Amino acid sequence: MAQSSIEWTEMTWNPTTGCDKVSAGCKFCYAEIMSRRLKAMGVEKYANEFKLTIHEDELDTPNEWKKPRVVFVNSMSDLFHKDVPIEFIQKVFRVMRENPQHVFQILTKRSDILLYYDSEGWLEWSHNIWMGVSVEQKKEMIRINHLQQTHARVKFLSCEPLIGALPNMNLDTIDWVIVGGESGRTPRPMKKEWVMDIKTQCEEQNVAFFFKQWGGTNKKKAGRMLEGKTWDEMPEIIESL
């Protein structure tokens, strides 16, 4: 686990690391670059660099946290990668259910696998497991439909890196939308009108809107102000009794 600089979470927990590219949003994957750096630094967990690796020893980590936390699960991987056994995913879900004081945020680009596992009854959800899908351009909007068909209690979209317009989204049962531009050495541009259209859709459909960043080669300088303010809306965090 590690403290996170990601604006919409507090820390990360990676029971798996490594992944493969599945869509245009993966082109400049930050996790792949970071894995390379961590391996070069001699971090044992990244000895396989960005090859998918399962870390059974990470399963007990959330049991050690005393204070309630908001946790991004698998910031360096995708829990629903085709090579992650469903039995391991079920172990991860069990750990999350056994720690209801924390909020666990899972994000996947493999919404078809997520939906299949859920439709088979292999996933058991609790209030603190937030499930999200990445939707970086119109071509990937089918992922929204897949997510909506699951039994996840809190559902969200990560439109980052936003590399195209997302018109006329059906946000029924979606609780939260995160928008962010791409950063790095050669980021693809994000148009303001794409961001404003998503914000309007969220307002019209009563969905929490979070603007993460403009991105660019200097994302810190570009900042995260939209129309003169920051947008940090989130779903309500339900405290466990």
Side-chain angles (χ1 to χ4, degrees), residues 75 92 103 107 114 117 183 185 236 241:
S75 62
V92 173
V103 168
L107 186 59
L114 162 68
Y117 288 169
S183 58
R185 293 182 179 178
E236 181 183 0
L241 299 177

Side-chain angles (χ1 to χ4, degrees), residues 62-228:
N63 299 321
E64 302 168 3
W65 303 332
K66 305 302 180 186
K67 284 176 50 181
R69 303 164 190 247
V70 180
V71 185
F72 180 16
V73 181
N74 274 8
S75 62
M76 301 293 288
S77 184
D78 189 329
L79 188 62
F80 291 94
H81 189 287
K82 64 180 176 59
D83 294 332
V84 178
I86 181 59
E87 293 80 10
F88 185 77
I89 296 173
Q90 289 171 328
K91 289 179 182 179
V92 173
F93 267 64
R94 184 171 66 247
V95 170
M96 295 188 290
R97 291 195 307 273
E98 290 174 350
N99 286 275
Q101 71 276 26
H102 306 308
V103 168
F104 294 93
Q105 303 160 316
I106 310 171
L107 186 59
T108 186
K109 287 184 173 68
R110 294 162 171 83
S111 58
D112 53 340
I113 296 177
L114 162 68
L115 177 57
Y116 171 64
Y117 288 169
D118 187 68
S119 66
E120 290 294 316
W122 296 340
L123 304 177
E124 185 177 342
W125 303 91
S126 52
H127 73 277
N128 64 321
I129 302 175
W130 295 10
M131 189 67 232
V133 295
S134 297
V135 187
E136 61 265 37
Q137 59 182 342
K138 186 177 180 180
K139 182 181 177 182
E140 315 303 344
M141 283 171 57
I142 186 62
R143 295 173 183 165
I144 303 173
N145 180 256
H146 291 162
L147 176 63
Q148 288 168 321
Q149 294 180 65
T150 71
H151 294 86
R153 301 189 192 179
V154 177
K155 303 180 178 75
F156 69 97
L157 311 181
S158 175
C159 305
E160 184 189 13
L162 184 63
I163 56 176
L166 296 174
N168 304 313
M169 289 188 290
N170 172 11
L171 299 178
D172 183 44
T173 73
I174 300 299
D175 301 285
W176 191 28
V177 174
I178 303 163
V179 176
E182 190 164 59
S183 58
R185 293 182 179 178
T186 54
R188 289 161 287 184
M190 177 178 69
K191 295 183 179 180
K192 182 178 179 180
E193 53 261 38
W194 300 343
V195 180
M196 294 303 299
D197 181 55
I198 294 172
K199 176 177 170 290
T200 298
Q201 291 182 63
C202 288
E203 291 171 344
E204 291 176 346
Q205 299 182 63
N206 196 30
V207 176
F209 174 78
F210 193 107
F211 184 60
K212 181 175 178 285
Q213 64 180 32
W214 285 105
T217 53
N218 188 338
K219 67 176 183 179
K220 190 171 183 180
K221 183 178 179 181
R224 52 188 304 262
M225 299 283 284
L226 176 63
E227 294 191 307

